[in-house]
Amino acid sequence: MRIRLAVTTLALATALTAGAALPAAAAMPASSAPASVNPAVQDILDHLPDDVVAGALIRSDGVGAAAGPVTADAHFRIGSVTKVFTNTVVLQLVAEHRIGLDTPARRYVPEVLPDAYDRVTVRQLLDHTSGLPKPVSTPGPADGPGWRLKSVTPEDFLRDSFAAATDVPPTPGSEQQYNGLNSMVLGLIVEKVTGHSFTSELEHRIIRPLRLRQSSLPAADDPTIPSPHAEVYVDGQDVTEQSPYPWAEGGMISTAADLDRFITALFRGRLLAPAQQKLVFEVPKVQSAAGNTNCGGQTACYSVGGLLRHQLPNGEYAWGKTGSRPGWDNGIFATRDLRHRVVYSLNPTGTGNDLPYIKALVNAALAD
């Protein structure tokens, strides 16, 4: 399968908070979605592929479907959906009294966090109220040939980000600003308190117990992705194989079926003790930072569990997470009672905005 794609730099979560009409159907649409899929979802897939989205796969209430040159069982790089896995591992360690939720994070990793952040707690890393600085740029086409294979260690990424910070950090816990650095620090804390790699803890605590056989966090030097998968391009370069350097922040590979199994287990309390399960849906009562476009308003929207709270057109809240890597725009969402759930992965062409498609898919899949 060959799909020409470009990097999307837009915040995916914006699509869930800003309404937009779905573009008109392309001529002669092609879709492999089965008739049993939600009719509203099927209608959206019938618009694809087009000039904006080269391919799409979705799993709606357990039914897989696809449009364009991609199959419903394809593997994809899940990007920041990884953060929900990371937060779950940390909350398991909180339940085991190996990590203190309100303990300063610097006690676990003093070599990682500068003195200026000595009041930041583990809870504040989990719910994005830590006030950590903006991350430095990550490898991209501007870095020249081979950029897609360049790897950045979590320690170096954090060091460079702190070194580049110029603003006075906000008071920890005073506002919510979505930030991938939080997940990098959390991954290092997991390694420090367990004595094992973050990957081994992820496999031991989530992947193997849930039998997520198509899910993995590749090593930094492993750019491959299992088949089947889309073949993706950025500026004419095949970037299907790329470094998973985002690690605990966004390096995982999975499938729609595995992510559906994960979110179902998480919402049903199969992964966390009752006290920590409540935190999965606990959003801090603080303002959203001025530069935080993800929440689409002035109020925080991310929970301690790492989930994004999204209000559906009927007023009900759904919970989930968006994520992206070059060539893939993904997400998982469900109503809290699991009445409806959806996993999606789009392959943007880079010639237009795929956010309206994301909003339309999520709202259609979760509607009664």
Side-chain angles (χ1 to χ4, degrees):
M1 293 175 289
R2 176 163 289 219
I3 303 174
R4 290 197 171 274
L5 301 164
V7 178
T8 177
T9 58
L10 298 173
L12 293 180
T14 305
L16 302 176
T17 53
L22 186 67
M28 298 180 66
S31 173
S32 61
S36 57
V37 77
N38 178 323
V41 172
Q42 177 66 68
D43 182 62
I44 296 169
L45 292 176
D46 283 344
H47 290 72
L48 303 175
D50 66 4
D51 292 340
V52 177
V53 176
L57 67 86
I58 192 169
R59 191 173 182 87
S60 177
D61 292 341
V63 177
V70 63
T71 56
D73 61 344
H75 295 79
F76 50 92
R77 300 184 188 275
I78 72 174
S80 289
V81 177
T82 304
K83 291 180 174 68
V84 186
F85 286 80
T86 299
N87 282 34
T88 302
V89 170
V90 171
L91 288 175
Q92 288 181 346
L93 290 165
V94 170
E96 296 166 13
H97 305 290
R98 301 172 72 181
I99 293 178
L101 189 63
D102 295 307
T103 299
R106 198 168 185 275
R107 293 188 188 178
Y108 301 107
V109 286
E111 70 282 3
V112 171
L113 288 173
D115 290 342
Y117 300 92
D118 61 355
R119 294 173 56 195
V120 173
T121 66
V122 172
R123 182 195 297 268
Q124 291 160 353
L125 294 173
L126 290 166
D127 67 14
H128 296 288
T129 61
S130 65
L132 296 191
K134 180 180 179 181
V136 294
S137 299
T138 52
D143 294 309
W147 66 269
R148 64 188 177 86
L149 301 178
K150 292 183 178 179
S151 182
V152 182
T153 68
E155 293 86 352
D156 287 346
F157 187 59
L158 287 163
R159 184 198 64 235
D160 293 346
S161 297
F162 286 123
T166 57
D167 297 334
V168 177
T171 302
S174 62
E175 62 182 21
Q176 186 175 77
Q177 174 64 64
Y178 181 77
N179 191 336
L181 294 188
N182 294 313
S183 300
M184 293 288 190
V185 177
L186 290 169
L188 293 174
I189 290 176
V190 169
E191 294 193 333
K192 180 60 70 72
V193 302
T194 64
H196 304 138
S197 70
F198 176 77
T199 300
S200 66
E201 288 296 314
L202 178 66
E203 292 172 347
H204 169 69
R205 294 173 175 277
I206 299 178
I207 292 177
R208 286 200 295 270
L210 294 184
R211 299 180 181 178
L212 306 181
R213 296 186 176 93
Q214 307 305 319
S215 300
S216 64
L217 178 57
D221 60 354
D222 180 5
T224 62
I225 181 171
S227 294
H229 59 74
E231 187 173 333
V232 298
Y233 287 76
V234 170
D235 294 340
Q237 302 177 52
D238 185 340
V239 299
T240 308
E241 293 194 348
Q242 54 185 267
S243 170
Y245 66 83
W247 191 53
E249 186 267 334
M252 288 185 66
I253 292 171
S254 191
T255 63
D258 270 12
L259 292 180
D260 187 33
R261 182 187 291 264
F262 168 67
I263 197 171
T264 299
L266 179 64
F267 280 34
R268 286 181 175 168
R270 289 182 54 198
L271 293 170
L272 295 169
Q276 286 68 47
Q277 183 67 21
K278 293 179 181 178
L279 299 174
V280 170
F281 304 99
E282 182 179 293
V283 175
K285 296 178 180 179
V286 298
Q287 294 296 300
S288 181
N292 188 15
T293 60
N294 294 341
C295 294
Q298 298 182 346
T299 305
C301 66
Y302 282 99
S303 71
V304 180
L307 298 177
L308 169 65
R309 181 177 61 191
H310 164 55
Q311 190 168 28
L312 298 170
N314 66 0
E316 181 182 6
Y317 283 112
W319 299 82
K321 186 70 184 72
T322 58
S324 65
R325 294 293 297 141
W328 289 276
D329 286 347
N330 323 295
I332 57 174
F333 282 89
T335 55
R336 186 165 178 175
D337 60 5
L338 291 174
R339 187 175 70 259
H340 297 297
R341 59 194 191 279
V342 61
V343 181
Y344 66 86
S345 180
L346 305 186
N347 301 129
T349 65
T351 62
N353 185 355
D354 68 342
L355 302 184
Y357 296 81
I358 295 171
K359 177 181 174 64
L361 281 170
V362 170
N363 288 343
L366 301 183
D368 286 326

